[in-house]
Amino acid sequence: MPTTHRPDSPAISVAAALRSPKRLRTEVLAGLVVALALIPEAISFSIIAGVDPRVGLFASFTMAVTIAITGGRPAMISAATGAVALVVAPVVRDHGLDYLIATVILGGAIQIVLSVAGVAKLMRFIPRSVMVGFVNSLAILIFTAQLPHLFGVPWLVYPMIAVGLAIIVGLPKLTTAVPAPLIAIVVLTAVTLIFALHVPNVGDEGELPSSLPIPLLPDVPFTLETLRIIAPYALAMALVGLLESLLTAKLVDDITDTRSDKSREGWGQGIANIVTGIFGGMGGCAMIGQTMINVKVSGARTRISTFLAGTFLLILVVGLGGLVAQIPMAALVAVMIMVSVGTMDWHSLAPSTLRRMPIAETTVMLMTVGVTVATHNLAYGVIAGVLTAMVAFAQRVAHFTEVTPEPTTEPDSETRVYKVRGELFFASSNDLVYQFDYAGDPDKIVIDMSETHIWDASTVAALDAITTKYAAKGKRVEILGLNAASVARHERLSGHLAGAH
C-alpha cells in the first residue's frame, strides 16, 4: 500500500476524460473488464443470500450505475457483495424476497442519515495498522474465493489459468493500450470455443437474466411489526456497507494520490441501495476486488468506468447472455488471482518490516486479518482491529503516567507536594489512588498537576477518592496547576461522582 499521499494531486474529471481519446479508451475498456469480473461474483453472492442470480446481477447493475453519479470516490466500483449477502441472508430465509427488498431500501435510508450526521469523520480513528490488515485480509479473501474453482475441476483448467496469468503479467511489458485482463478473457474464451473444451464456465454458476429489471415496491405490510423484523438487518447492512465503502475509498485515495468526499460517498451508497431495492436488487457496497481491477490493473480514474461497468454488465447478461455464459471460469480466476497478489501489502510482511514494527502494531494487523479471514466479514475484522489498537494505545499511554513526591528541604515540613505527569484517563487514573502515602503524609498535601491533563470522569472520581481518603485522616488536599479545560471538567464533576469510587 502506498505510504505517501499528495492531497494536491489533480483528479481527472469526466469532461477531461471525454476530451482525451486515450483516457476515454482506458475508461471504456476498464469498465468492460470489470463488468465481466462482476458476473460470477454477483451470481455467487446471490447464492450466499439465498436468492435467484438475477437479484444479485440486477443489484450490481443498479449499484454501479447509481454510485457513478452519486458517489464521492470516482472510479470505485460498488455492486452486490458477500458481506451484505451474509447480513441479509436470514431475512430471505425467514421472511422471503419482499422483506429483503424492504430491508435494502431501509438500509439505504439509514446510510443517508448516518452520512449526513457525519459518520465518515470516524474514519480518522482507524489506524494505519488496521488499514494494512484490511488490505491484506482483502487479498486473502479474494484468493480463497477462487479455491472452489481450483479443486475438482478438469485438468485443462490449470494450464488455462497459467496462460491467463502469463498474459496478465507479460502483456503490459509489451503494450498497455488494452487492459491485459481483457485480452486474457478474450483469448481463453476463444480457445475454449474453437477447440470445444469442456471446462467450467460462467453459465455453470447460475442462470443469467433475459429481461431488464423493472421498478417495484416490496409487498410487505407497512406496520411496526414489519419495521421490527427488518430494522436490525437494515442497520447491520448499513454499517457494514458504509465501513467497507469508506475503507475502500480511502485505499483508492492512497493509490491514486487524490482526495475524495467521504460524506458524499456515504450518502451516495445509501441512494444506490434505495435504487437497487426498488429494482429488486439485494443491496451492496464497494467491491475491493473489482475496484482494484478498475483502478490498479486497468488504470481507470473517473466515473465513466464505473458507469460503463454497470451498463456493460446489463448488456452482457441480458443481450449477450449466451456468449457470456461460455466464458471459462479459468480466465476470471486468473484475473482475480492477480488482483489478490496486487492487493496484498507485501512490504508489511517482510521480515525487516516485522522486526522494526512495534509488537502492538503487528498484533493489531494480525488481529484484523485473523478475524476477517475467520468470519469472511471485513467489518468484523476492522472492528476487532480498532478495538485491539485502542486497548494497546490505552495501555501504552497509561504507563507514561507517574506520581512522584517532591523532595523537601525541611524535615518537619507540614506540607507534602506530589508531582503528577502524563495523561489522566480511565486506564491511567485507576491506579492513581494507590500512589499516595495517606498515613505518613503531613496535614497538608499539594498535588501539582501542571504537567498533566484530566480527560474523563474516571480521573475526577479518582481525585475525589484521594481527597476523601486524606480527609478521613484529618488532612487537607490542594490541587494546583490544572489547565483551563481540566479545571472546567473537575469543577463540573467533582463531588457528584460518589458512586464511581
Side-chain angles (χ1 to χ4, degrees), residues 123-438:
M123 288 295 296
R124 71 184 66 179
F125 296 106
I126 298 181
R128 181 184 181 279
S129 52
V130 174
M131 278 300 299
V132 173
F134 170 75
V135 170
N136 292 342
S137 301
L138 290 170
I140 294 171
L141 290 180
I142 291 170
F143 180 79
T144 55
Q146 312 313 310
L147 294 180
H149 305 295
L150 297 175
F151 294 100
V153 295
W155 68 270
L156 282 172
V157 168
Y158 303 111
M160 291 181 70
I161 292 176
V163 170
L165 293 174
I167 293 174
I168 296 171
V169 174
L171 186 62
K173 299 177 182 178
L174 302 176
T175 178
T176 56
V178 180
L182 179 58
I183 298 300
I185 293 171
V186 171
V187 168
L188 292 178
T189 302
V191 169
T192 301
L193 295 176
I194 292 171
F195 295 98
L197 301 180
H198 296 288
V199 292
N201 56 35
V202 171
D204 296 329
E205 298 296 303
E207 183 181 357
L208 300 179
S210 57
S211 61
L212 296 174
I214 57 174
L216 54 86
L217 289 177
D219 183 17
V220 297
F222 291 87
T223 63
L224 290 177
E225 177 61 19
T226 299
L227 182 63
R228 184 192 65 79
I229 293 172
I230 67 174
Y233 299 105
L235 178 60
M237 172 193 156
L239 294 176
V240 168
L242 280 179
L243 182 59
E244 290 202 27
S245 298
L246 294 177
L247 285 173
T248 303
K250 186 177 186 303
L251 179 60
V252 178
D253 287 354
D254 291 339
I255 292 173
T256 60
D257 286 327
T258 57
R259 182 176 294 171
S260 61
D261 186 340
K262 303 301 186 300
S263 293
R264 176 177 173 177
E265 183 60 41
W267 59 254
Q269 291 284 338
I271 293 174
N273 272 306
I274 291 175
V275 172
T276 296
I278 291 174
F279 279 92
M282 57 180 279
C285 61
M287 295 191 75
I288 183 65
Q290 278 66 22
T291 297
M292 289 300 100
I293 292 175
N294 198 45
V295 174
K296 202 168 185 180
V297 179
S298 302
R301 291 293 183 271
T302 75
R303 301 176 186 273
I304 296 174
S305 58
T306 306
F307 181 86
L308 290 179
T311 304
F312 284 145
L313 174 64
L314 187 65
I315 294 172
L316 288 170
V317 298
V318 176
L320 302 173
L323 178 60
V324 171
Q326 300 303 314
I327 296 175
M329 287 302 301
L332 299 176
V333 169
V335 172
M336 298 310 294
I337 288 176
M338 288 309 302
V339 170
S340 173
V341 172
T343 302
M344 179 70 73
D345 186 352
W346 297 104
H347 176 72
S348 69
L349 304 177
S352 58
T353 303
L354 294 175
R355 284 195 300 269
R356 189 180 300 112
M357 194 67 63
I359 294 177
E361 299 287 326
T362 302
T363 301
V364 170
M365 187 265 285
L366 293 177
M367 175 64 75
T368 305
V369 173
V371 173
T372 299
V373 173
T375 63
H376 284 238
N377 191 314
L378 290 164
Y380 291 161
V382 170
I383 292 171
V386 170
L387 291 177
T388 304
M390 290 172 60
V391 172
F393 176 77
Q395 289 180 333
R396 188 162 58 247
V397 174
H399 292 158
F400 293 150
T401 303
E402 62 177 0
V403 178
T404 55
E406 295 289 283
T408 178
T409 56
E410 302 177 14
D412 297 327
S413 174
E414 297 182 354
T415 302
R416 184 71 177 274
V417 179
Y418 286 91
K419 186 80 170 180
V420 182
R421 298 180 177 86
E423 302 301 312
L424 292 175
F425 64 111
F426 63 89
S428 58
S429 62
N430 284 335
D431 293 332
L432 194 65
V433 70
Y434 305 113
Q435 307 300 314
F436 298 85
D437 184 3
Y438 300 100

Side-chain angles (χ1 to χ4, degrees), residues 39 43 46-47 52-55 57 202-210 317 321 325:
I39 295 170
I43 295 173
S46 298
I47 295 171
D52 188 277
R54 294 178 180 85
V55 177
L57 289 166
V202 171
D204 296 329
E205 298 296 303
E207 183 181 357
L208 300 179
S210 57
V317 298

